[in-house]
Amino acid sequence: MSPMIYTLYGFAIFFFVFWCGKWLIHLLAISYGKYKLHKKVCNAPRETPLPGVSIMKPLMGTDPNLAPNLETFFTMNYPEYELLFCVEDPGDPAVDVVQNLLNKYPYIDARLFLGGSNVGVNPKINNMYPGYQAAKYGFIMISDSGIRMKDDTLLDMVNHMSDKVALVHQMPFTCDRDGFAATFEKIFFGTVQSRIYLSADFLGINCHTGMSCLLRKSVLDELGGISAFGCYLAEDFFIAKALTDRGWKMRISSQPALQNSGFCDIGSFQGRLTRWAKLRVAMVPTTILLEPLAECMIVGAFASWSVSFLFGWDSLVFYLIHILMWFLSDWILLSIVQNGSLPFNKFEFVVGWLFREISGPYLFLHALWNPAIRWRTRVYKLEWGGVAYELSAGVKTSPTTSLPPAASLCKEKS
């Protein structure tokens, strides 16, 4: 055979093996999700009392669901915790929302911190830093403003914090809301995101998102505290990496994080997806090749050509069966993550699923084409390795400007 035929055989075998690997991930996510998620919280007596937890809530702006979301933190079934609300701008409307809740629940240990600090380029860390310094408990929980808690969520997270674990995080998901945009979000987080998240947790791969996580403060302090990660926009990824590099383990909670933003539209959510893709490309460059290839429509097309070339199978029939099986496996996984009736019918799922699968590759290419990251009113540029700097009138500023000496992790990357 000619060298060209050998090359084609090599590509065909690669794509077929890659396709088989994707199906192993499907099966792993479904099996592990059924085993891991939505376990009942154990209320049996403990040999040691439950540890206190300092919960940091970085806030910016408000929406119709902010007050009810924050209120769920005041009514949790947990014996000892404090709430540390952090708002960078004293004139932010979130201040009034927090103040109303402080007046409504005067018996809850809660404080409001205004002004933030300049310890890096990451606005979330700058916002949280005063609250972090004032935290009095040995465990820190970082929770985004749009998260809604169940009564026993914090107890479930603490129960996962064993002696060898330094980080417990929740898998991102969404509350039930009305409208196609909400359906689209739930489908994404319950299929694409959950498949990767569950598989990564089982295999011990860093797939941490920091929207809701519990950390050992002593271990984080050894790393320089949260300010040591102020040069990264994806501080959650690098915190998890630093912990695991030092031999600590991380686990996901059995309860997914319930995002419940009051504003839900396709454009803003696709903007989030694009921003996350830019971060992944900067942190893990192999994403440029592997992520598009892992999409249902793309990997199915390559696999269809492979089986036609290797085995003489009908490529069109194979492709259609591939899409149908992918669709059914995503429905099964979403049902497992939801753990109850879905707020939309099967037709709405078909439309939302197809929209996600078709738009996914486009959003990724868009992220590659324009690598600058817009986060609220600010624009950032990422260097390889994940270090970020803010763009200001086209002038590059040092990614380690204003960082304390503890932030050597950033300096090593810059």
Short mmCIF file of all heavy atoms in Angstrom, two decimals, residues 128-159:
data_model
loop_
_atom_site.label_atom_id
_atom_site.label_comp_id
_atom_site.label_asym_id
_atom_site.label_seq_id
_atom_site.Cartn_x
_atom_site.Cartn_y
_atom_site.Cartn_z
N MET A 128 -13.53 39.94 47.38
CA MET A 128 -13.62 39.05 48.53
C MET A 128 -12.53 39.25 49.56
O MET A 128 -12.68 38.80 50.71
CB MET A 128 -13.57 37.58 48.06
CG MET A 128 -14.76 37.09 47.28
SD MET A 128 -14.69 35.30 47.05
CE MET A 128 -13.17 35.11 46.14
N TYR A 129 -11.45 39.89 49.20
CA TYR A 129 -10.26 39.89 50.07
C TYR A 129 -10.53 40.43 51.48
O TYR A 129 -10.07 39.82 52.46
CB TYR A 129 -9.13 40.68 49.40
CG TYR A 129 -7.82 40.57 50.12
CD1 TYR A 129 -7.13 39.36 50.15
CD2 TYR A 129 -7.27 41.66 50.78
CE1 TYR A 129 -5.92 39.24 50.82
CE2 TYR A 129 -6.06 41.55 51.46
CZ TYR A 129 -5.39 40.33 51.47
OH TYR A 129 -4.21 40.21 52.14
N PRO A 130 -11.25 41.54 51.68
CA PRO A 130 -11.54 41.98 53.06
C PRO A 130 -12.31 40.94 53.86
O PRO A 130 -12.04 40.74 55.05
CB PRO A 130 -12.36 43.26 52.86
CG PRO A 130 -11.96 43.75 51.52
CD PRO A 130 -11.76 42.52 50.70
N GLY A 131 -13.25 40.27 53.24
CA GLY A 131 -14.00 39.22 53.93
C GLY A 131 -13.13 38.03 54.28
O GLY A 131 -13.27 37.44 55.36
N TYR A 132 -12.21 37.70 53.38
CA TYR A 132 -11.30 36.58 53.65
C TYR A 132 -10.42 36.89 54.85
O TYR A 132 -10.18 36.03 55.70
CB TYR A 132 -10.45 36.32 52.41
CG TYR A 132 -9.49 35.16 52.57
CD1 TYR A 132 -9.91 33.85 52.33
CD2 TYR A 132 -8.17 35.37 52.94
CE1 TYR A 132 -9.03 32.79 52.48
CE2 TYR A 132 -7.28 34.31 53.09
CZ TYR A 132 -7.72 33.02 52.86
OH TYR A 132 -6.85 31.97 53.02
N GLN A 133 -9.91 38.10 54.93
CA GLN A 133 -9.06 38.47 56.05
C GLN A 133 -9.82 38.42 57.38
O GLN A 133 -9.23 38.13 58.43
CB GLN A 133 -8.50 39.88 55.83
CG GLN A 133 -7.39 39.95 54.79
CD GLN A 133 -6.77 41.33 54.74
OE1 GLN A 133 -7.46 42.34 54.57
NE2 GLN A 133 -5.46 41.39 54.90
N ALA A 134 -11.12 38.70 57.34
CA ALA A 134 -11.91 38.74 58.57
C ALA A 134 -12.52 37.39 58.94
O ALA A 134 -13.10 37.26 60.02
CB ALA A 134 -13.03 39.78 58.43
N ALA A 135 -12.40 36.37 58.07
CA ALA A 135 -13.01 35.07 58.33
C ALA A 135 -12.45 34.46 59.61
O ALA A 135 -11.24 34.46 59.82
CB ALA A 135 -12.79 34.14 57.14
N LYS A 136 -13.32 33.92 60.43
CA LYS A 136 -12.89 33.41 61.74
C LYS A 136 -12.91 31.89 61.85
O LYS A 136 -12.46 31.35 62.85
CB LYS A 136 -13.76 34.00 62.84
CG LYS A 136 -15.24 33.63 62.77
CD LYS A 136 -16.03 34.36 63.86
CE LYS A 136 -17.50 34.01 63.82
NZ LYS A 136 -18.29 34.76 64.84
N TYR A 137 -13.42 31.20 60.83
CA TYR A 137 -13.50 29.74 60.91
C TYR A 137 -12.45 29.08 60.03
O TYR A 137 -11.88 29.70 59.13
CB TYR A 137 -14.90 29.25 60.51
CG TYR A 137 -15.97 29.67 61.50
CD1 TYR A 137 -17.06 30.43 61.08
CD2 TYR A 137 -15.90 29.28 62.83
CE1 TYR A 137 -18.05 30.80 61.99
CE2 TYR A 137 -16.89 29.63 63.74
CZ TYR A 137 -17.95 30.40 63.31
OH TYR A 137 -18.93 30.77 64.20
N GLY A 138 -12.22 27.80 60.27
CA GLY A 138 -11.18 27.06 59.57
C GLY A 138 -11.58 26.58 58.19
O GLY A 138 -10.75 26.08 57.45
N PHE A 139 -12.86 26.72 57.86
CA PHE A 139 -13.32 26.35 56.53
C PHE A 139 -13.93 27.57 55.86
O PHE A 139 -14.70 28.32 56.47
CB PHE A 139 -14.33 25.22 56.59
CG PHE A 139 -13.72 23.89 56.95
CD1 PHE A 139 -13.63 23.48 58.28
CD2 PHE A 139 -13.22 23.05 55.97
CE1 PHE A 139 -13.06 22.28 58.62
CE2 PHE A 139 -12.65 21.83 56.30
CZ PHE A 139 -12.56 21.45 57.63
N ILE A 140 -13.58 27.77 54.59
CA ILE A 140 -14.07 28.90 53.80
C ILE A 140 -14.96 28.36 52.68
O ILE A 140 -14.58 27.44 51.97
CB ILE A 140 -12.90 29.68 53.16
CG1 ILE A 140 -12.06 30.36 54.23
CG2 ILE A 140 -13.41 30.69 52.15
CD1 ILE A 140 -12.70 31.57 54.83
N MET A 141 -16.14 28.94 52.57
CA MET A 141 -16.99 28.62 51.43
C MET A 141 -17.09 29.86 50.55
O MET A 141 -17.39 30.95 51.03
CB MET A 141 -18.39 28.19 51.87
CG MET A 141 -19.30 27.83 50.70
SD MET A 141 -20.96 27.35 51.23
CE MET A 141 -21.69 26.97 49.63
N ILE A 142 -16.81 29.69 49.27
CA ILE A 142 -16.96 30.77 48.29
C ILE A 142 -18.21 30.47 47.47
O ILE A 142 -18.32 29.38 46.88
CB ILE A 142 -15.73 30.88 47.38
CG1 ILE A 142 -14.48 31.20 48.21
CG2 ILE A 142 -15.94 31.95 46.32
CD1 ILE A 142 -13.20 31.19 47.41
N SER A 143 -19.15 31.39 47.44
CA SER A 143 -20.43 31.15 46.78
C SER A 143 -20.83 32.37 45.97
O SER A 143 -20.93 33.48 46.51
CB SER A 143 -21.51 30.83 47.83
OG SER A 143 -22.77 30.67 47.22
N ASP A 144 -21.05 32.17 44.68
CA ASP A 144 -21.45 33.27 43.80
C ASP A 144 -22.84 33.78 44.16
O ASP A 144 -23.65 33.09 44.79
CB ASP A 144 -21.41 32.83 42.35
CG ASP A 144 -19.98 32.69 41.82
OD1 ASP A 144 -19.05 33.02 42.57
OD2 ASP A 144 -19.82 32.24 40.67
N SER A 145 -23.14 34.98 43.69
CA SER A 145 -24.38 35.66 44.08
C SER A 145 -25.63 34.94 43.60
O SER A 145 -26.68 35.03 44.22
CB SER A 145 -24.38 37.09 43.56
OG SER A 145 -24.30 37.11 42.14
N GLY A 146 -25.54 34.24 42.47
CA GLY A 146 -26.73 33.62 41.89
C GLY A 146 -27.05 32.24 42.41
O GLY A 146 -27.96 31.59 41.90
N ILE A 147 -26.33 31.77 43.43
CA ILE A 147 -26.53 30.41 43.94
C ILE A 147 -27.68 30.38 44.95
O ILE A 147 -27.75 31.22 45.84
CB ILE A 147 -25.24 29.87 44.59
CG1 ILE A 147 -24.12 29.80 43.56
CG2 ILE A 147 -25.49 28.50 45.22
CD1 ILE A 147 -24.39 28.84 42.42
N ARG A 148 -28.54 29.40 44.81
CA ARG A 148 -29.62 29.16 45.76
C ARG A 148 -29.31 27.88 46.52
O ARG A 148 -29.01 26.85 45.93
CB ARG A 148 -30.96 29.03 45.02
CG ARG A 148 -32.17 28.86 45.94
CD ARG A 148 -33.45 28.76 45.13
NE ARG A 148 -34.61 28.66 46.01
CZ ARG A 148 -35.27 29.68 46.51
NH1 ARG A 148 -34.88 30.92 46.20
NH2 ARG A 148 -36.32 29.52 47.29
N MET A 149 -29.39 27.94 47.85
CA MET A 149 -29.02 26.80 48.69
C MET A 149 -30.25 26.05 49.19
O MET A 149 -31.30 26.64 49.46
CB MET A 149 -28.23 27.29 49.91
CG MET A 149 -26.90 27.91 49.58
SD MET A 149 -25.63 26.71 49.12
CE MET A 149 -25.01 26.27 50.75
N LYS A 150 -30.11 24.74 49.31
CA LYS A 150 -31.09 23.94 50.03
C LYS A 150 -30.71 23.94 51.52
O LYS A 150 -29.59 24.30 51.89
CB LYS A 150 -31.12 22.52 49.50
CG LYS A 150 -31.64 22.39 48.07
CD LYS A 150 -31.70 20.93 47.64
CE LYS A 150 -32.28 20.81 46.24
NZ LYS A 150 -32.34 19.38 45.79
N ASP A 151 -31.64 23.53 52.35
CA ASP A 151 -31.40 23.57 53.80
C ASP A 151 -30.17 22.76 54.20
O ASP A 151 -29.45 23.13 55.13
CB ASP A 151 -32.63 23.04 54.56
CG ASP A 151 -33.83 23.97 54.43
OD1 ASP A 151 -33.62 25.12 54.01
OD2 ASP A 151 -34.95 23.53 54.74
N ASP A 152 -29.93 21.63 53.52
CA ASP A 152 -28.88 20.71 53.94
C ASP A 152 -27.67 20.72 53.00
O ASP A 152 -26.82 19.83 53.09
CB ASP A 152 -29.43 19.29 54.05
CG ASP A 152 -30.03 18.79 52.73
OD1 ASP A 152 -30.16 19.60 51.78
OD2 ASP A 152 -30.38 17.59 52.66
N THR A 153 -27.55 21.70 52.12
CA THR A 153 -26.45 21.72 51.16
C THR A 153 -25.10 21.87 51.86
O THR A 153 -24.15 21.14 51.56
CB THR A 153 -26.63 22.85 50.13
OG1 THR A 153 -27.86 22.67 49.43
CG2 THR A 153 -25.49 22.84 49.13
N LEU A 154 -25.00 22.80 52.78
CA LEU A 154 -23.73 23.02 53.47
C LEU A 154 -23.34 21.79 54.28
O LEU A 154 -22.15 21.39 54.31
CB LEU A 154 -23.81 24.24 54.38
CG LEU A 154 -22.53 24.61 55.13
CD1 LEU A 154 -21.36 24.81 54.18
CD2 LEU A 154 -22.75 25.86 55.98
N LEU A 155 -24.31 21.15 54.91
CA LEU A 155 -24.03 19.92 55.67
C LEU A 155 -23.51 18.83 54.73
O LEU A 155 -22.57 18.10 55.07
CB LEU A 155 -25.29 19.46 56.38
CG LEU A 155 -25.19 18.17 57.19
CD1 LEU A 155 -24.15 18.29 58.29
CD2 LEU A 155 -26.56 17.80 57.79
N ASP A 156 -24.08 18.72 53.56
CA ASP A 156 -23.63 17.72 52.59
C ASP A 156 -22.19 18.00 52.17
O ASP A 156 -21.37 17.07 52.07
CB ASP A 156 -24.55 17.74 51.37
CG ASP A 156 -24.14 16.74 50.31
OD1 ASP A 156 -24.40 15.54 50.50
OD2 ASP A 156 -23.53 17.15 49.30
N MET A 157 -21.84 19.26 51.95
CA MET A 157 -20.48 19.60 51.53
C MET A 157 -19.48 19.31 52.64
O MET A 157 -18.40 18.77 52.39
CB MET A 157 -20.43 21.08 51.11
CG MET A 157 -21.29 21.40 49.90
SD MET A 157 -21.25 23.15 49.44
CE MET A 157 -19.63 23.26 48.68
N VAL A 158 -19.83 19.65 53.87
CA VAL A 158 -18.93 19.40 55.00
C VAL A 158 -18.72 17.90 55.20
O VAL A 158 -17.61 17.45 55.52
CB VAL A 158 -19.48 20.06 56.28
CG1 VAL A 158 -18.68 19.61 57.50
CG2 VAL A 158 -19.44 21.57 56.16
N ASN A 159 -19.76 17.10 54.98
CA ASN A 159 -19.63 15.65 55.14
C ASN A 159 -18.68 15.04 54.12
O ASN A 159 -18.17 13.93 54.33
CB ASN A 159 -21.01 14.98 55.03
CG ASN A 159 -21.84 15.14 56.28
OD1 ASN A 159 -21.31 15.44 57.36
ND2 ASN A 159 -23.15 14.97 56.16
#
